[in-house]
Amino acid sequence: MNRIKWDQYFMAQSHLLALRSTCTRLTVGATIVRDKRIIAGGYNGSVSGGTHCIDEGCYVVDNHCIRTVHAEMNALLQCAKFGVPTENAEIYVTHFPCLQCTKAIIQAGIKVVYYAEDYKNHPYGIKMLEESKVRVEKVPLEEMVIDLNSKEKLEFVNDLIGKITESGIDDNEIKAIREQAATLFSTIS
């Protein structure tokens, strides 16, 4: 058995947090780590008790949803709320931080920003991080899916392919469907 690498473990946590996002424009998750321990997590969504974008739509002004508190800010605010120091910590984010989050990350004493996907990487944000000696590293999440029903899904797809085959569809089309299923499931019988 191969153990998951630390950067993949923490990035996977950020992607999991992103699943809680309530803004429909972009789902983002952030995990703050110190000494290989998770100290906080956040996702983008409305203020506690507020109206959520998924309920009433985004509140967009100047092409930004102003209803949303960003994932990085939520994670940093969680640390502030519970008195958890962020000095010399690391943050794992699903997307490159915006300018406001970049400034907050720097002010909080975060020393490393790991991000999975480029997203409007602002040149001034990059410059601020460099000048503050905050290391930035792109760490794409390698596919790691926990699927408790994969066997049943594979059986279902195989049954469908069998029925399609019986219907008289061209052998080349069947072959293409089998190849696509094999790619999706890594193996197919």
Side-chain angles (χ1 to χ4, degrees):
M1 178 178 101
N2 292 331
R3 292 177 70 194
I4 187 172
K5 295 176 186 170
W6 283 114
D7 63 349
Q8 290 298 301
Y9 173 74
F10 296 127
M11 192 58 75
Q13 177 67 30
S14 293
H15 282 272
L16 185 61
L17 283 161
L19 296 175
R20 292 282 305 154
S21 294
T22 62
C23 186
T24 57
R25 291 170 55 101
L26 185 67
T27 59
V28 180
T31 304
I32 301 177
V33 175
R34 191 177 54 244
D35 300 323
K36 300 288 187 241
R37 301 289 182 263
I38 296 171
I39 60 173
Y43 54 87
N44 58 332
S46 301
V47 295
S48 298
T51 302
H52 295 283
C53 299
I54 57 174
D55 298 326
E56 291 188 13
C58 292
Y59 184 7
V60 179
V61 175
D62 295 330
N63 205 29
H64 295 284
C65 180
I66 62 172
R67 175 178 284 140
T68 302
V69 179
H70 290 188
E72 303 93 324
M73 293 296 273
N74 269 325
L76 290 168
L77 291 168
Q78 186 180 61
C79 287
K81 185 175 184 177
F82 294 107
V84 178
T86 55
E87 188 72 28
N88 294 317
E90 303 170 334
I91 191 166
Y92 289 78
V93 190
T94 57
H95 296 76
F96 193 87
C98 72
L99 284 175
Q100 296 305 318
C101 289
T102 296
K103 290 187 260 185
I105 286 166
I106 293 167
Q107 289 300 95
I110 302 285
K111 290 299 173 198
V112 185
V113 174
Y114 298 99
Y115 70 99
E117 297 179 38
D118 292 305
Y119 183 73
K120 300 180 181 179
N121 303 25
H122 198 285
Y124 185 60
I126 294 167
K127 180 181 176 186
M128 283 190 295
L129 290 163
E130 288 171 356
E131 289 175 351
S132 300
K133 298 189 180 6
V134 174
R135 187 164 59 95
V136 178
E137 185 177 332
K138 187 172 183 177
V139 178
L141 180 64
E142 297 167 3
E143 185 176 352
M144 292 183 288
V145 177
I146 298 172
D147 186 349
L148 302 177
N149 299 311
S150 61
K151 181 180 176 188
E152 293 83 3
K153 289 177 183 176
L154 179 59
E155 288 172 3
F156 176 74
V157 169
N158 278 326
D159 288 345
L160 284 176
I161 292 173
K163 289 176 182 174
I164 292 170
T165 302
E166 292 170 8
S167 73
I169 290 183
D170 180 67
D171 286 343
N172 288 331
E173 288 183 62
I174 297 295
K175 182 181 177 187
I177 292 169
R178 283 195 181 280
E179 288 172 359
Q180 184 176 6
T183 300
L184 290 171
F185 289 99
S186 296
T187 180
I188 195 156
S189 55

